[in-house]
Amino acid sequence: TGGYSQSPFSPMLLIIPMLAILLRESPLHFAGYAAAAALLTSLLARMPRAELELNPLHGQASALVTWSCLALTALMGYVTRPTL
């Protein structure tokens, strides 16, 4: 495979917190899933890639966008979560 950066399934890590909200998990579980997604994303993104040889800032920019999307998705999902 092409690794994390080339995989079509890597964005699925970012929707785990949203799925936790839709499944009405507790806020503690939601926070755990969000933390696990952030940890896995950061660990997998550290793998060497060819783009980094051409532009060393590519990895930092990609990490910033990925973490921002995860944070925004988690915040919007938590704020708009269904309540019983």
Side-chain angles (χ1 to χ4, degrees):
T1 67
Y4 177 78
S5 64
Q6 300 297 320
S7 173
F9 300 106
S10 9
M12 292 185 73
L13 281 174
L14 303 178
I15 65 168
I16 291 174
M18 186 64 72
L19 290 175
I21 291 170
L22 292 174
L23 294 173
R24 299 181 187 235
E25 293 282 340
S26 70
L28 183 60
H29 285 170
F30 164 76
Y33 295 144
L39 179 66
L40 284 171
T41 300
S42 64
L43 289 175
L44 292 172
R46 289 180 180 232
M47 303 230 176
R49 299 189 308 232
E51 297 95 10
L52 296 179
E53 294 175 10
L54 299 174
N55 185 359
L57 295 178
H58 182 277
Q60 293 174 350
S62 177
L64 177 67
V65 170
T66 301
W67 279 68
S68 299
C69 288
L70 176 62
L72 185 62
T73 301
L75 178 66
M76 287 184 340
Y78 189 75
V79 169
T80 62
R81 73 189 182 280
T83 56
L84 294 176

